[in-house]
Amino acid sequence: PSVPRAEILPLGKKIALFKAVVAPVSLIFLVLGVIYTGVATPTEAAGVGAFGALLVSIINRKFSWKMFREASRGALFVTVMVGWIVLGAKSFSHVYIAMGVPEFLSGIISGLGVNRWVIIVMMQLILLILGCFIDPMGIMMITIPVFMPIIETLGFNPLWFGILFTVNMEIGYITPPFGFNLFYLKGVAPPSITLRDIYKSIAPFVALELAGLALIMIFPQIALWLPQTMTGK
């Protein structure tokens, strides 16, 4: 068989390709930088990132009022949808807490005599299943009031559990039937690529995420090193 010939790009094209990645990489460092330095909260950093993306589109001369209107309309729809989910979940959590259920469940679990790692694994399974059907905000509002008192009773680090929760939500974004990223990918994929094809392709990525989740559970310092560096604790 013939050996593929190496393609040597001219210097001008290399510079052009390099310039194409400067803006996205700078935007990433901007968002993470304002979070790391404490200038902005993660929610505020999202606004910084959106403003930065707007500036990038203007600099690259790709900005248009039609694009701006469509992006604003899409953001409004998503915000309203999440708002209703938060409202329902908030109502549920308030009733749940007022009934004293967290303390009741904590007492039951403390009296089971089961190894605490069995309980934490069961929590991960619950989050993985919910991630297939519900958005992260809804899962957080429903499960956190239940899980956090138990986590504290069992002596686990709440920050560590929060990172486990985040990884679970990342997995939920790529697991069928309602993984949001799967539908985003279908929207940009060629017409010949069906949603069924996309469902079949996610197995190795889910496996990698699960392996990462297991590593964070076994070696908590993987997740806690950076926050401890930031806080100095």
Side-chain angles (χ1 to χ4, degrees):
S2 60
V3 179
R5 185 167 55 87
E7 183 179 358
I8 301 176
L9 296 177
L11 180 60
K13 192 169 184 179
K14 290 180 179 179
I15 294 175
L17 291 173
F18 176 76
K19 288 169 61 177
V21 301
V22 169
V25 172
S26 300
L27 192 58
I28 292 172
F29 276 101
L30 173 65
V31 173
L32 295 180
V34 295
I35 296 174
Y36 186 86
T37 56
V39 174
T41 65
T43 303
E44 293 166 345
V48 173
F51 181 72
L54 179 63
L55 289 180
V56 170
S57 69
I58 294 174
I59 293 171
N60 291 334
R61 299 180 180 179
K62 294 183 178 180
F63 175 83
S64 68
W65 286 110
K66 179 182 178 182
M67 176 269 291
F68 184 75
R69 286 195 301 270
E70 291 176 353
S72 300
R73 187 181 296 113
L76 177 62
F77 289 160
V78 172
T79 301
V80 172
M81 178 187 69
V82 172
W84 279 107
I85 293 172
V86 171
L87 177 62
K90 265 286 188 184
S91 302
F92 168 81
S93 62
H94 279 299
V95 173
Y96 178 87
I97 293 171
M99 293 175 64
V101 179
E103 293 80 5
F104 176 72
L105 287 177
S106 297
I108 290 178
I109 292 175
S110 300
L112 286 177
V114 179
N115 187 287
R116 63 177 190 161
W117 285 101
V118 174
I119 297 173
I120 199 73
V121 169
M122 292 300 297
M123 287 182 179
Q124 305 312 303
L125 292 175
I126 292 171
L127 292 174
L128 287 171
I129 294 171
L130 290 177
C132 296
F133 303 99
I134 308 176
D135 72 288
M137 181 63 73
I139 296 174
M140 181 176 68
M141 299 300 294
I142 292 171
T143 59
I144 292 303
V146 182
F147 288 170
M148 284 310 295
I150 298 173
I151 290 298
E152 292 172 355
T153 300
L154 296 175
F156 287 111
N157 188 320
L159 176 60
W160 170 76
F161 179 76
I163 295 171
L164 292 180
F165 182 92
T166 302
V167 175
N168 272 290
M169 296 305 99
E170 290 175 355
I171 297 174
Y173 268 105
I174 60 172
T175 48
F178 298 117
F180 289 114
N181 284 355
L182 304 180
F183 296 104
Y184 297 151
L185 183 59
K186 180 65 178 74
V188 299
S192 59
I193 303 297
T194 65
L195 197 57
R196 184 184 182 89
D197 295 328
I198 295 174
Y199 281 172
K200 290 179 179 178
S201 68
I202 56 98
F205 301 100
V206 173
L208 286 173
E209 290 271 18
L210 290 174
L213 183 67
L215 285 173
I216 295 173
M217 292 178 66
I218 297 170
F219 305 105
Q221 200 59 29
I222 294 176
L224 298 177
W225 172 79
L226 183 59
Q228 288 174 346
T229 302
M230 295 172 64
T231 59
K233 297 180 180 179

